[in-house]
Amino acid sequence: MGRKVTVATCALNQWALDFEGNLQRILKSIEIAKSRGARYRLGPELEICGYGCWDHYYESDTLLHSLQVLAALLESPLTQDIICDVGMPVMHRNVRYNCRVIFLNRRILLIRPKMALANEANYRELRWFTPWSRSRQTEEHFLPRMLQDLTKQETVPFGDAVLATWDTCIGSEVCEELWTPHSPHVDMGLDGVEIITNASGSHHVLRKAHARVDLVTMATTKNGGIYLLANQKGCDGDRLYYDGCAMIAMNGSIFAQGSQFSLDEVEVLTATLDLEDVRSYRAEISSRNLAASRVSPYPRVKVDFALSHHEDLLQSVTEPVEWKYHRPEEEISLGPACWLWDYLRRSQQAGFFLPLSGGVDSAATACLVYSMCCQVCEAVARGNQDVLADIRAIVDESSYTPQGPQELCGRVLTTCYMASENSSQETCSRAQELAQQIGSHHIGLNIDPAVKAIVGIFSLVTGKIPLFAAHGGGSRENLALQNVQARIRMVLAYLFAQLSLWSRGARGGLLVLGSANVDESLLGYLTKYDCSSADINPIGGISKTDLRAFVQFCMEQFGLPALQGILSAPATAELEPLANGQVSQTDEDDMGMTYSELSVYGKLRKIAKAGPFSMFCKLLTMWKDTCTPRQVADKVKRFFWKYSVNRHKMTTLTPAYHAENYSPDDNRFDLRPILYNTRWPWQFRCIESQVLQLEKKTRQDLDGSD
C-alpha cells in the first residue's frame, strides 16, 4: 500500500480583478505541479479574483466572474487527476464568505469558508466577509446552474470539514487562522488530519518572515503532520507587496522553501513525503494522543482518490532544508524593487522620473530602481520569457534585450537635479556622480527663474516682497519662500515626466517617484504638494535608519562609490540661503529631533498604541540613562505638537510601499483624525504633573543624602 505523497503549493503574482491573467497563472501552476508528480495543489488566498479587490467584493460582478473562472478550471483537462484547492469569494444563503473551493475531476468536494478573518493593520476582511462560526459543521450549498451543468452536482458540502482520501486525511486553514490563539490545525491534527494546508494573502513587512516560518514549524513540532503554506506574491494593485515564502513543512522541519522576492509570476514548490514519518512522530507524544482521544471529530468528505501511488517503495523522499532569511537591507533591496517592477509593467508606463537631490532618501530610491534593473537582467538571463516580453513592451522595442543593469537603467530611469540659488555644488556633484554610476538619463536644471516669476506675481499684487530669515524676513516669509521652491520642483517633475521622452523622440510617459521616508512622513516634515507628491513612493514605509543601512549595502553590493559621499553628508533640504557657500540648514535641526528618536516615537505611537502620557511613561525608563524626566517630557510634547500640526499632510501622502508597521499612511493603515487640538492641554498637563512629582522626589532624595 502506498504511503509516500507528493504535494504542491505555490506563490502566484495575482492581480486584483485580472480574471484572465489570474486564470492563466492558476492553470500554469497546476500544470507544473502535475509535471512533478503532485496529486494535490494548493493556491493562495482569493487567488481567482486577486486578494486586494477591497470594496469590489461588494459587487456581484466579482462573484460572477469568480464563478466563471472556477467553471473554466473545472473544464480544463489540466485539472484532471489532481485535487485542486483554489480561493475565491462565495455567496452562501446571501452571506459572502472568503472560501477555499476544493475539486477533483470536475466535481467539487468541499467549499471551506474562512473562520477567522484578518481585521487589523492593513486588513479589513470583516468589512466584506463574514466568518464561518459553526465549528465542525457543514451545510448543503446549492450550486448555480452554470456549475451544476459542469459538475453534475446540485449541492456540495459547505463548512468546516476535512477530506478523507484512500490513504490520508487533509484539512484546510486560511491565512489568519494560523495566527489565532487556537488555530484549527490543533484540533484537526488531534483528529487524525495528516496534511494541513494554509492559503495566505500575507504582505511583506521588514523582519516579518521569521514569524510565518516559526508558526508553521511550531504547528508541526507540537502535533506532527505535513503543513503546506501558499501565498500571494507581488503588487496586486495597491501599496502592499505580498512576499511569497511558500513552504512545505513536516514534523517541525522545513522541506521546501519558496522565494520571498522574485519576478517569476508562478512559483510552485513540491515535496514527496512519507506519511509513516507523521504517524511514527505522533505515536510517541503521549500528551498529544491523550488529547486526541477526547477530541470532537470533524465531518469527513470521502474522496475516491489517493495521493500516493500503489507501488512507491523505490520512490525517493524530499530531504529537509534550513530556511534562509534575508537581512533587512536585502529585504529593502528586493521587496520595493519587485513592487516597482509590477507597478511599472502593469501601469503600462515607459519608466520612472526621479528628482535626485544628492541626499540619502532620493539616492536610496534611485538604488531601488537600479536593483529592479539588476533583477530584470538576472531574470532575462535565466530565460524568463514573461519578464523579457514585459521589458520589451516598456521600452517599445520588440527585439530589445537588456545588456546590463546600467544600460537598462538608462532606458527606464530619468533623474533630475533641480538646482536653486540655495543649492550647494556638493549635492549637485553627488547627484550627478550617482546618476553616472547607475546609468540613469540625468538632467540638470535651475528653478530660480520660475521661483522669481511666482514670487514676482505675489509682489506685483500685494506690493510686498517676502524675505528669507537670513535676509531679515520673519518666520512666515521664510517658510513660504522655502515652500514655493519645493512646490515648483513638483510641477517641473510632472512636466518632465510627461514630456521628456517626447523631447527625445521616444513614446510614453514616466511615473514620478517620491522619496519621503516613513519618519519624515510621520512628523509631516515635508511640504504639501512638493516633490513628496508623486505617483508612488518606494521608500515611504522605510525608516531613515534602515535606509542608511540599505544605501551602505548598495554601495558594497552594486559597487557604487558615489554613495559614500551621500552617506557622510548631513541631511538637508537646501531651501534656505547658503552661509558662505555652505549649507546652513539640516533636517534634524529643523525637526528638533533625531531620526533615531523619530523611529522610537513612531513605533510607540502606532505599534504600542501610546498617546502622549503613556509615551512619556515608557520613554522615562527607556531613556533614563540619557535624559531627565523634564527632557523626556519636552521631547514628547514637541513630537506630538509637530505630529498633530502636520497631520493634515497625510491626506495627500503619495501611495507608498508598506514596509513598516508604524507607517502613517492614512488611506489604508493609520485611521486617525487630521484636525487636532495641537496644544493637547489635558494630556500635556498630566505629563507636567508627573514631571513635577518626579523632580520633587529627586530633590527630596538629594536633601536626604546630604
Side-chain angles (χ1 to χ4, degrees):
M1 182 61 191
R3 64 186 198 183
K4 294 173 185 172
V5 296
T6 302
V7 288
T9 183
C10 47
L12 302 184
N13 193 334
Q14 303 298 72
W15 189 9
L17 302 180
D18 179 26
F19 293 97
E20 181 60 43
N22 293 347
L23 169 61
Q24 295 310 318
R25 285 181 283 271
I26 293 168
L27 285 171
K28 187 175 177 183
S29 70
I30 294 168
E31 184 179 20
I32 294 169
K34 282 180 75 175
S35 72
R36 295 182 189 165
R39 312 265 283 179
Y40 189 101
R41 175 267 180 205
L42 174 73
E45 185 174 13
L46 294 165
E47 61 190 306
I48 281 180
C49 54
Y51 181 80
C53 292
W54 309 144
D55 280 4
H56 287 288
Y57 288 123
Y58 290 137
E59 299 166 7
S60 60
D61 286 28
T62 305
L63 293 163
L64 169 66
H65 300 323
S66 296
L67 285 169
Q68 290 168 333
V69 171
L70 177 61
L73 288 167
L74 285 161
E75 263 188 313
S76 170
L78 288 172
T79 62
Q80 298 302 295
D81 300 321
I82 181 170
I83 298 177
C84 295
D85 185 334
V86 299
M88 61 181 277
V90 176
M91 186 81 84
H92 175 68
R93 299 188 178 179
N94 283 13
V95 179
R96 197 182 305 100
Y97 295 97
N98 172 350
C99 292
R100 305 306 299 169
V101 179
I102 308 170
F103 62 91
L104 169 69
N105 295 337
R106 292 198 178 197
R107 288 182 66 79
I108 294 172
L109 305 172
L110 172 67
I111 300 178
R112 201 283 196 176
K114 190 172 180 178
M115 300 177 71
L117 298 183
N119 209 55
E120 68 288 329
N122 285 288
Y123 297 104
R124 300 278 180 275
E125 288 181 13
L126 274 171
R127 181 179 170 95
W128 309 296
F129 299 112
T130 302
W132 180 257
S133 56
R134 293 162 57 203
S135 175
R136 299 175 182 78
Q137 291 184 47
T138 62
E139 295 176 352
E140 290 300 301
H141 175 75
F142 284 81
L143 292 178
R145 277 178 301 183
M146 61 189 289
L147 292 183
Q148 284 185 28
D149 295 341
L150 263 174
T151 63
K152 308 297 184 236
Q153 298 166 285
E154 281 189 3
T155 62
V156 296
F158 185 102
D160 185 23
V162 297
L163 302 180
T165 64
W166 291 338
D167 49 359
T168 188
C169 192
I170 306 162
S172 298
E173 283 191 322
V174 187
C175 199
E176 177 75 6
E177 293 168 7
L178 171 62
W179 303 74
T180 56
H182 192 95
S183 298
H185 70 252
V186 176
D187 289 335
M188 285 193 285
L190 292 174
D191 191 31
V193 175
E194 294 176 327
I195 300 173
I196 310 279
T197 66
N198 185 306
S200 280
S202 184
H203 71 284
H204 174 237
V205 172
L206 289 172
R207 305 172 178 87
K208 174 184 163 185
H210 70 89
R212 220 181 279 145
V213 178
D214 290 350
L215 282 167
V216 170
T217 50
M218 190 51 65
T220 62
T221 299
K222 290 196 295 187
N223 213 347
I226 295 166
Y227 201 106
L228 276 65
L229 184 133
N231 195 16
Q232 169 120 342
K233 183 167 65 169
C235 166
D236 76 341
D238 203 73
R239 296 152 172 77
L240 304 182
Y241 179 83
Y242 299 90
D243 59 335
C245 287
M247 66 185 90
I248 300 174
M250 181 175 72
N251 299 346
S253 297
I254 299 289
F255 283 78
Q257 172 183 355
S259 64
Q260 191 173 7
F261 313 103
S262 88
L263 303 189
D264 297 336
E265 290 200 276
V266 176
E267 182 179 18
V268 179
L269 298 186
T270 54
T272 301
L273 302 168
D274 194 333
L275 292 170
E276 285 303 317
D277 290 338
V278 173
R279 293 159 191 167
S280 59
Y281 183 91
R282 286 178 170 177
E284 65 179 356
I285 310 175
S286 60
S287 58
R288 179 214 164 264
N289 297 334
L290 279 169
S293 67
R294 296 191 294 266
V295 78
S296 301
Y298 277 78
R300 276 163 158 72
V301 175
K302 292 180 183 174
V303 185
D304 292 333
F305 189 72
L307 298 198
S308 58
H309 295 284
H310 193 62
E311 294 296 332
D312 60 6
L313 274 175
L314 299 177
Q315 188 178 14
S316 58
V317 292
T318 306
E319 294 296 322
V321 296
E322 191 168 335
W323 192 278
K324 293 182 175 64
Y325 293 98
H326 294 289
R327 289 178 293 151
E329 50 269 38
E330 287 180 298
E331 289 190 66
I332 296 170
S333 169
L334 297 166
C338 290
W339 182 77
L340 282 173
W341 170 247
D342 279 346
Y343 211 100
L344 177 60
R345 66 196 182 91
R346 287 178 167 167
S347 65
Q348 298 186 325
Q349 297 302 297
F352 300 111
F353 183 90
L354 172 65
L356 191 62
S357 69
V360 167
D361 292 341
S362 62
T365 307
C367 287
L368 285 174
V369 178
Y370 186 72
S371 175
M372 182 201 84
C373 292
C374 291
Q375 290 185 68
V376 168
C377 291
E378 285 168 20
V380 170
R382 284 198 316 270
N384 188 319
Q385 293 302 306
D386 293 333
V387 171
L388 183 60
D390 282 331
I391 198 62
R392 284 174 172 172
I394 289 163
V395 303
D396 196 30
E397 277 187 38
S398 58
S399 60
Y400 173 73
T401 301
Q403 299 306 299
Q406 276 95 348
E407 184 270 336
L408 178 56
C409 202
R411 295 291 196 109
V412 299
L413 177 62
T414 299
T415 50
C416 182
Y417 183 82
M418 302 186 191
S420 77
E421 61 186 9
N422 303 320
S423 303
S424 65
Q425 186 52 49
E426 288 80 7
T427 54
C428 178
S429 301
R430 289 199 293 267
Q432 198 165 4
E433 196 181 347
L434 178 60
Q436 194 174 357
Q437 287 173 16
I438 64 173
S440 66
H441 179 85
H442 191 63
I443 300 167
L445 57 85
N446 192 298
I447 67 170
D448 287 336
V451 174
K452 286 186 172 69
I454 286 182
V455 175
I457 293 171
F458 177 84
S459 299
L460 196 65
V461 172
T462 63
K464 296 275 192 179
I465 301 174
L467 298 173
F468 281 108
H471 301 152
S475 60
R476 284 188 295 174
E477 298 161 69
N478 196 60
L479 187 59
L481 289 173
Q482 289 184 64
N483 286 345
V484 77
Q485 296 168 75
R487 290 187 173 117
I488 278 171
R489 286 182 171 132
M490 188 269 286
V491 172
L492 284 168
Y494 273 96
L495 178 66
F496 275 82
Q498 287 180 291
L499 292 181
S500 65
L501 289 182
W502 167 79
S503 71
R504 284 143 59 188
R507 65 161 278 280
L510 303 173
L511 288 164
V512 179
L513 294 181
S515 52
N517 63 61
V518 73
D519 298 325
E520 290 171 348
S521 299
L522 173 71
L523 199 66
Y525 183 64
L526 47 88
T527 302
K528 207 173 183 178
Y529 305 118
D530 72 340
C531 277
S532 63
S533 296
D535 292 315
I536 50 173
N537 178 0
I539 68 163
I542 304 171
S543 74
K544 189 78 163 191
T545 310
D546 281 337
L547 281 175
R548 291 185 69 85
F550 163 65
V551 170
Q552 180 72 40
F553 169 81
C554 290
M555 187 171 71
E556 298 156 11
Q557 180 79 4
F558 300 134
L560 302 171
L563 295 173
Q564 183 63 65
I566 290 169
L567 277 172
S568 56
T572 172
E574 292 196 326
L575 294 171
E576 292 190 48
L578 301 172
N580 302 320
Q582 298 300 309
V583 169
S584 61
Q585 158 201 44
T586 69
D587 291 350
E588 291 189 333
D589 287 344
D590 272 5
M591 293 188 299
M593 57 195 75
T594 65
Y595 280 108
S596 58
E597 285 173 343
L598 250 179
S599 292
V600 174
Y601 299 143
K603 286 168 183 160
L604 287 175
R605 183 197 63 91
K606 184 71 180 77
I607 300 169
K609 319 288 187 295
F613 183 70
S614 51
M615 185 181 290
F616 165 73
C617 294
K618 286 177 185 292
L619 288 176
L620 271 179
T621 51
M622 282 174 68
W623 291 349
K624 66 179 184 296
D625 297 333
T626 53
C627 295
T628 65
R630 170 69 56 196
Q631 288 169 326
V632 172
D634 290 345
K635 284 174 182 285
V636 169
K637 289 176 184 176
R638 181 169 181 80
F639 166 72
F640 272 97
W641 177 73
K642 282 260 192 186
Y643 163 75
S644 54
V645 161
N646 290 318
R647 178 67 190 160
H648 64 96
K649 296 179 183 177
M650 298 308 97
T651 60
T652 63
L653 210 59
T654 295
Y657 180 94
H658 181 77
E660 195 61 77
N661 279 326
Y662 66 94
S663 162
D665 185 340
D666 76 320
N667 291 288
R668 287 288 182 279
F669 190 66
D670 190 3
L671 304 179
R672 284 174 166 78
I674 59 172
L675 180 64
Y676 284 91
N677 182 344
T678 58
R679 295 185 300 279
W680 301 84
W682 188 282
Q683 295 91 330
F684 286 2
R685 197 161 59 243
C686 287
I687 292 174
E688 190 60 29
S689 165
Q690 201 67 50
V691 170
L692 291 170
Q693 282 183 45
L694 289 166
E695 288 177 342
K696 183 180 176 184
K697 185 178 184 303
T698 304
R699 282 195 300 273
Q700 288 171 347
D701 290 346
L702 286 171
D703 292 344
S705 63
D706 291 343

